[in-house]
């Protein structure tokens, strides 16, 4: 079933995001208003307290120097402060808190002032007296005078409440446009945030519909969604390359299998024809066996390559002297080289150790040596040089053979690829793909430098201490 992203899924995500953004925006605005209200009310209270304490200080001095009658006169004259918009409440009581004098009691009718007489007084204490309708509060500060009497000064909370009430009205006027602004801003931001994802969805849909060239548009900015878009495109590029490579491999494999399978079929058909004697039937069977071995070898190598490339291949790494790995191979290839009149020379220090899967690395070296001798004409030379450099083991296998043309050079690592000049030689075109996959599975690299008619050099670089996953990893030197 083809993969489809329901368009509704995108719409609901976008809607949810816009709700989140709007909610966040509105909540922040309300929080700012609530905090402003809190700071405003505490600032007004602090201002009232400061005014009360300072006025009380002034009146205490007046009383101490000139006495009660002079103070009463002073209070009666100063109408602005004691009768105005936000007047001070003044009460003088004797030692037992019985009221001696209350300034303008008619102004404070809403408060039951008789209650103050029953409340014990303490020097420098703040008290509150609620109005009869509990709508206002009288905030009072008490001070003992030098003769033991009490002076109480206070202010009603009414003016503060009015100021806060005005703020509240403003608050409710501001809320509706704030909500509209929040929803509009939230929707805009959600649309902006979702745009790259929307592009990604359209791209995926295009790819699903067969347009493999479709890519997500992106800018050069470094925000996360832009990075995601770039990575997404890179991923699509890689998948595309992989699919193309797989297609090519399957085409090549089909092509490569057709000839041996046809040969196999023809040989069987001829053997089955009447009148054939036992010897010719045996010969036909031997041919079939050889052909099927070739096919099996090809399939096994292909399996090994894909296991090594995908990391499924199990390596059994060991620390082993390079020469111990190479000597059996040299013994074998020395004979083939001599047959072809090619000189095979080795330069490798005895103390060079490799941490590799010996069997797999032997296959790698065998493939490269085999090619080197195979593609070097009589009178030529093949050398193996190995050394330790910058924490890596470097192995260079050079030949003075036919070389590789610059056109062929990038393709020699492809599965089933054979250069034009090698059609006449035996081979499957899988050797170098296998070599590269195994070297990379050892966390190494392989490069080639080649000049047609002069020769080629294959250079393997392996880390000295690779972290190779193995169930049977054994760092102890083993005999081969
Ligand atoms: P093959 O079985 O054809 O040797 P490989 O995968 O080993 O397959 O090599 C791929 C191609 O690379 C060869 O067909 C050949 O054209 C080229 N090649 C590999 N090694 C050499 C070499 N030492 N000298 C020249 N050409 C080489």
């Amino acid at each position: 079933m083809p993969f489809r992203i329901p368009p509704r899924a995108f719409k609901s995500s976008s809607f949810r995001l816009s709700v989140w953004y709007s909610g966040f925006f509105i909540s922040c605005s309300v929080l700012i208003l609530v905090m402003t209200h809190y700071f405003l009310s505490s600032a007004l209270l602090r201002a009232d307290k400061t005014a009360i304490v300072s006025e009380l200080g002034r009146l205490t001095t007046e009383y101490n120097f000139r006495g009660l009658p002079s103070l009463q006169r002073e209070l009666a004259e100063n109408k602005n402060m004691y009768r105005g918009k936000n007047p001070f409440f003044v009460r003088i009581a004797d030692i037992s808190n019985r009221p001696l004098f209350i300034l303008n009691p008619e102004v404070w009718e809403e408060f039951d002032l008789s209650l103050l007489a029953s409340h014990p007084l303490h020097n420098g204490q703040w008290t509150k007296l609620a109005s009869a309708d509990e709508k206002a509060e009288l905030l009072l500060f008490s001070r003992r005078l030098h003769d033991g009497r009490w002076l109480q000064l206070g202010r009603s909370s009414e003016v503060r409440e009015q100021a806060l009430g005005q703020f509240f009205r403003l608050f409710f006027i501001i809320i509706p446009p704030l909500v509209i602004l929040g929803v509009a801003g939230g929707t805009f931001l959600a649309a902006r945030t979702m745009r790259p994802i929307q592009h990604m969805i359209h791209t995926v849909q295009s790819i699903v519909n067969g347009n493999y060239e479709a890519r997500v548009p992106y800018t050069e900015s470094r925000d996360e969604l832009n990075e995601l878009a770039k990575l997404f495109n890179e991923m699509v590029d890689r998948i595309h390359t992989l699919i193309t490579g797989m297609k090519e491999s399957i085409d090549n494999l089909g092509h490569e299998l057709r000839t041996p399978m046809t040969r196999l079929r023809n040989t069987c058909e001829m053997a089955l024809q009447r009148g054939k004697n036992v010897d010719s039937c045996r010969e036909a069977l031997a041919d079939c066996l050889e052909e099927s071995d070739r096919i099996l070898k090809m399939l096994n190598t292909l399996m090994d390559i894909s296991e090594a490339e995908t990391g499924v291949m199990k390596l059994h790494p060991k620390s082993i002297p390079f020469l111990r790995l190479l000597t059996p191979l040299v013994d074998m290839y020395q004979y083939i080289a001599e047959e072809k009149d090619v000189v095979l020379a080795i330069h490798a220090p005895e103390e060079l150790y490799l941490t590799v899967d010996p069997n797999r690395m032997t296959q790698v070296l065998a493939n490269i040596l085999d090619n080197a001798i195979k593609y070097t004409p009589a009178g030529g030379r093949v050398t193996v040089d190995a050394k330790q450099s910058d924490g890596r083991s470097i192995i260079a296998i050079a030949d003075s053979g036919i070389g590789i043309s610059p056109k062929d050079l990038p393709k020699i690592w492809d599965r089933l690829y054979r250069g034009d000049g090698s059609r006449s030689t035996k081979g499957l075109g899988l050797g170098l793909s296998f070599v590269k996959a195994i070297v990379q599975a050892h966390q190494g690299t392989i490069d080639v430098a080649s000049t047609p008619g002069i020769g080629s050099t294959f250079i393997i670089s392996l880390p000295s201490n690779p972290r190779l996953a193995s169930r049977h990893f054994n760092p102890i030197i083993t005999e081969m």
Side-chain angles (χ1 to χ4, degrees), residues 7 56 58 71 79 87 104 145 234 251 260 296 305 357 366 389 445:
L56 189 90
R58 198 178 70 77
L71 179 69
K79 282 195 177 129
N104 306 327
L145 299 167
E234 277 171 31
D251 290 352
L296 257 179
I305 295 170
D357 181 321
S389 170
T445 57

PDB file of all heavy atoms in Angstrom, residues 7 56 58 71 79 87 104 145 234 251 260 296 305 357 366 389 445:
ATOM      1  N   PRO A   7      -4.244  14.749   4.524  1.00  0.00           N
ATOM      2  CA  PRO A   7      -4.127  16.198   4.600  1.00  0.00           C
ATOM      3  C   PRO A   7      -4.671  16.747   5.902  1.00  0.00           C
ATOM      4  O   PRO A   7      -4.229  17.751   6.410  1.00  0.00           O
ATOM      5  CB  PRO A   7      -4.939  16.693   3.405  1.00  0.00           C
ATOM      6  CG  PRO A   7      -5.482  15.509   2.725  1.00  0.00           C
ATOM      7  CD  PRO A   7      -5.012  14.280   3.397  1.00  0.00           C
ATOM      8  N   LEU A  56       3.001  61.350  60.823  1.00  0.00           N
ATOM      9  CA  LEU A  56       2.949  61.031  62.248  1.00  0.00           C
ATOM     10  C   LEU A  56       4.179  61.600  62.971  1.00  0.00           C
ATOM     11  O   LEU A  56       4.069  62.160  64.066  1.00  0.00           O
ATOM     12  CB  LEU A  56       2.906  59.500  62.442  1.00  0.00           C
ATOM     13  CG  LEU A  56       2.628  59.047  63.863  1.00  0.00           C
ATOM     14  CD1 LEU A  56       1.132  58.905  64.085  1.00  0.00           C
ATOM     15  CD2 LEU A  56       3.284  57.702  64.133  1.00  0.00           C
ATOM     16  N   ARG A  58       5.857  64.222  62.070  1.00  0.00           N
ATOM     17  CA  ARG A  58       5.717  65.687  62.140  1.00  0.00           C
ATOM     18  C   ARG A  58       4.776  66.068  63.283  1.00  0.00           C
ATOM     19  O   ARG A  58       5.083  66.950  64.086  1.00  0.00           O
ATOM     20  CB  ARG A  58       5.163  66.195  60.802  1.00  0.00           C
ATOM     21  CG  ARG A  58       5.353  67.670  60.548  1.00  0.00           C
ATOM     22  CD  ARG A  58       4.807  68.049  59.189  1.00  0.00           C
ATOM     23  NE  ARG A  58       3.351  67.985  59.112  1.00  0.00           N
ATOM     24  CZ  ARG A  58       2.534  68.920  59.625  1.00  0.00           C
ATOM     25  NH1 ARG A  58       3.033  69.981  60.245  1.00  0.00           N
ATOM     26  NH2 ARG A  58       1.227  68.801  59.533  1.00  0.00           N
ATOM     27  N   LEU A  71      -1.592  71.477  68.747  1.00  0.00           N
ATOM     28  CA  LEU A  71      -1.709  70.458  67.699  1.00  0.00           C
ATOM     29  C   LEU A  71      -3.105  70.472  67.070  1.00  0.00           C
ATOM     30  O   LEU A  71      -3.263  70.406  65.843  1.00  0.00           O
ATOM     31  CB  LEU A  71      -1.403  69.067  68.304  1.00  0.00           C
ATOM     32  CG  LEU A  71      -1.499  67.900  67.331  1.00  0.00           C
ATOM     33  CD1 LEU A  71      -0.377  67.952  66.292  1.00  0.00           C
ATOM     34  CD2 LEU A  71      -1.417  66.566  68.077  1.00  0.00           C
ATOM     35  N   LYS A  79      -6.565  72.163  56.267  1.00  0.00           N
ATOM     36  CA  LYS A  79      -7.760  71.470  55.762  1.00  0.00           C
ATOM     37  C   LYS A  79      -7.448  70.510  54.605  1.00  0.00           C
ATOM     38  O   LYS A  79      -8.072  69.452  54.483  1.00  0.00           O
ATOM     39  CB  LYS A  79      -8.790  72.494  55.311  1.00  0.00           C
ATOM     40  CG  LYS A  79      -9.518  73.076  56.469  1.00  0.00           C
ATOM     41  CD  LYS A  79     -10.756  73.795  56.017  1.00  0.00           C
ATOM     42  CE  LYS A  79     -11.480  74.285  57.240  1.00  0.00           C
ATOM     43  NZ  LYS A  79     -11.826  75.688  57.180  1.00  0.00           N
ATOM     44  N   PRO A  87      -7.705  62.106  52.870  1.00  0.00           N
ATOM     45  CA  PRO A  87      -7.330  62.728  54.154  1.00  0.00           C
ATOM     46  C   PRO A  87      -6.678  61.740  55.122  1.00  0.00           C
ATOM     47  O   PRO A  87      -6.848  60.533  54.985  1.00  0.00           O
ATOM     48  CB  PRO A  87      -8.674  63.199  54.706  1.00  0.00           C
ATOM     49  CG  PRO A  87      -9.673  62.276  54.121  1.00  0.00           C
ATOM     50  CD  PRO A  87      -9.147  61.840  52.790  1.00  0.00           C
ATOM     51  N   ASN A 104     -12.176  65.444  62.752  1.00  0.00           N
ATOM     52  CA  ASN A 104     -13.256  65.335  61.761  1.00  0.00           C
ATOM     53  C   ASN A 104     -13.947  63.963  61.777  1.00  0.00           C
ATOM     54  O   ASN A 104     -13.958  63.255  60.767  1.00  0.00           O
ATOM     55  CB  ASN A 104     -12.731  65.581  60.338  1.00  0.00           C
ATOM     56  CG  ASN A 104     -11.996  66.890  60.227  1.00  0.00           C
ATOM     57  OD1 ASN A 104     -12.343  67.858  60.913  1.00  0.00           O
ATOM     58  ND2 ASN A 104     -10.976  66.910  59.400  1.00  0.00           N
ATOM     59  N   LEU A 145       3.208  58.707  72.887  1.00  0.00           N
ATOM     60  CA  LEU A 145       3.809  60.043  73.012  1.00  0.00           C
ATOM     61  C   LEU A 145       4.635  60.109  74.303  1.00  0.00           C
ATOM     62  O   LEU A 145       4.577  59.190  75.128  1.00  0.00           O
ATOM     63  CB  LEU A 145       2.705  61.102  73.000  1.00  0.00           C
ATOM     64  CG  LEU A 145       1.887  61.108  71.686  1.00  0.00           C
ATOM     65  CD1 LEU A 145       0.623  61.939  71.835  1.00  0.00           C
ATOM     66  CD2 LEU A 145       2.734  61.665  70.542  1.00  0.00           C
ATOM     67  N   GLU A 234      19.091  15.654   1.553  1.00  0.00           N
ATOM     68  CA  GLU A 234      20.278  14.792   1.450  1.00  0.00           C
ATOM     69  C   GLU A 234      19.871  13.328   1.542  1.00  0.00           C
ATOM     70  O   GLU A 234      20.394  12.466   0.822  1.00  0.00           O
ATOM     71  CB  GLU A 234      21.268  15.119   2.571  1.00  0.00           C
ATOM     72  CG  GLU A 234      22.159  16.299   2.238  1.00  0.00           C
ATOM     73  CD  GLU A 234      22.982  16.756   3.423  1.00  0.00           C
ATOM     74  OE1 GLU A 234      23.330  15.920   4.272  1.00  0.00           O
ATOM     75  OE2 GLU A 234      23.264  17.965   3.492  1.00  0.00           O
ATOM     76  N   ASP A 251      20.195  -5.104 -12.814  1.00  0.00           N
ATOM     77  CA  ASP A 251      20.305  -5.222 -14.274  1.00  0.00           C
ATOM     78  C   ASP A 251      21.583  -5.963 -14.647  1.00  0.00           C
ATOM     79  O   ASP A 251      21.573  -6.892 -15.456  1.00  0.00           O
ATOM     80  CB  ASP A 251      20.328  -3.826 -14.925  1.00  0.00           C
ATOM     81  CG  ASP A 251      18.971  -3.149 -14.819  1.00  0.00           C
ATOM     82  OD1 ASP A 251      18.033  -3.851 -14.392  1.00  0.00           O
ATOM     83  OD2 ASP A 251      18.868  -1.954 -15.134  1.00  0.00           O
ATOM     84  N   PRO A 260      25.962 -17.497 -18.317  1.00  0.00           N
ATOM     85  CA  PRO A 260      26.260 -18.824 -17.760  1.00  0.00           C
ATOM     86  C   PRO A 260      25.030 -19.722 -17.665  1.00  0.00           C
ATOM     87  O   PRO A 260      25.127 -20.936 -17.895  1.00  0.00           O
ATOM     88  CB  PRO A 260      26.817 -18.533 -16.369  1.00  0.00           C
ATOM     89  CG  PRO A 260      26.497 -17.138 -16.067  1.00  0.00           C
ATOM     90  CD  PRO A 260      26.298 -16.437 -17.366  1.00  0.00           C
ATOM     91  N   LEU A 296      27.659 -19.685  -8.332  1.00  0.00           N
ATOM     92  CA  LEU A 296      27.614 -19.696  -6.862  1.00  0.00           C
ATOM     93  C   LEU A 296      28.621 -18.705  -6.277  1.00  0.00           C
ATOM     94  O   LEU A 296      28.301 -17.981  -5.329  1.00  0.00           O
ATOM     95  CB  LEU A 296      27.961 -21.097  -6.343  1.00  0.00           C
ATOM     96  CG  LEU A 296      26.772 -21.923  -5.870  1.00  0.00           C
ATOM     97  CD1 LEU A 296      27.242 -23.283  -5.413  1.00  0.00           C
ATOM     98  CD2 LEU A 296      26.027 -21.210  -4.745  1.00  0.00           C
ATOM     99  N   ILE A 305      29.500  -8.841  -0.063  1.00  0.00           N
ATOM    100  CA  ILE A 305      29.623  -7.382  -0.243  1.00  0.00           C
ATOM    101  C   ILE A 305      28.483  -6.664   0.477  1.00  0.00           C
ATOM    102  O   ILE A 305      28.702  -5.727   1.241  1.00  0.00           O
ATOM    103  CB  ILE A 305      29.635  -6.994  -1.739  1.00  0.00           C
ATOM    104  CG1 ILE A 305      30.878  -7.569  -2.418  1.00  0.00           C
ATOM    105  CG2 ILE A 305      29.605  -5.484  -1.920  1.00  0.00           C
ATOM    106  CD1 ILE A 305      30.868  -7.453  -3.937  1.00  0.00           C
ATOM    107  N   ASP A 357      40.310  -8.954  10.754  1.00  0.00           N
ATOM    108  CA  ASP A 357      39.827 -10.328  10.631  1.00  0.00           C
ATOM    109  C   ASP A 357      40.781 -10.999   9.628  1.00  0.00           C
ATOM    110  O   ASP A 357      40.773 -10.653   8.435  1.00  0.00           O
ATOM    111  CB  ASP A 357      38.387 -10.310  10.099  1.00  0.00           C
ATOM    112  CG  ASP A 357      37.812 -11.707   9.965  1.00  0.00           C
ATOM    113  OD1 ASP A 357      38.572 -12.599   9.546  1.00  0.00           O
ATOM    114  OD2 ASP A 357      36.624 -11.892  10.278  1.00  0.00           O
ATOM    115  N   ALA A 366      44.571 -10.763  -1.405  1.00  0.00           N
ATOM    116  CA  ALA A 366      44.607 -11.719  -2.518  1.00  0.00           C
ATOM    117  C   ALA A 366      43.969 -11.098  -3.758  1.00  0.00           C
ATOM    118  O   ALA A 366      44.503 -11.198  -4.867  1.00  0.00           O
ATOM    119  CB  ALA A 366      43.883 -12.993  -2.127  1.00  0.00           C
ATOM    120  N   SER A 389      52.056   4.705  10.061  1.00  0.00           N
ATOM    121  CA  SER A 389      52.158   6.166   9.951  1.00  0.00           C
ATOM    122  C   SER A 389      50.963   6.829  10.622  1.00  0.00           C
ATOM    123  O   SER A 389      49.804   6.516  10.290  1.00  0.00           O
ATOM    124  CB  SER A 389      52.218   6.540   8.473  1.00  0.00           C
ATOM    125  OG  SER A 389      52.087   7.928   8.316  1.00  0.00           O
ATOM    126  N   THR A 445      40.245   2.840   4.749  1.00  0.00           N
ATOM    127  CA  THR A 445      39.924   3.447   3.445  1.00  0.00           C
ATOM    128  C   THR A 445      40.817   2.809   2.390  1.00  0.00           C
ATOM    129  O   THR A 445      41.877   2.262   2.711  1.00  0.00           O
ATOM    130  CB  THR A 445      40.207   4.968   3.450  1.00  0.00           C
ATOM    131  OG1 THR A 445      41.574   5.162   3.798  1.00  0.00           O
ATOM    132  CG2 THR A 445      39.320   5.710   4.409  1.00  0.00           C
TER     133      THR A 445
END
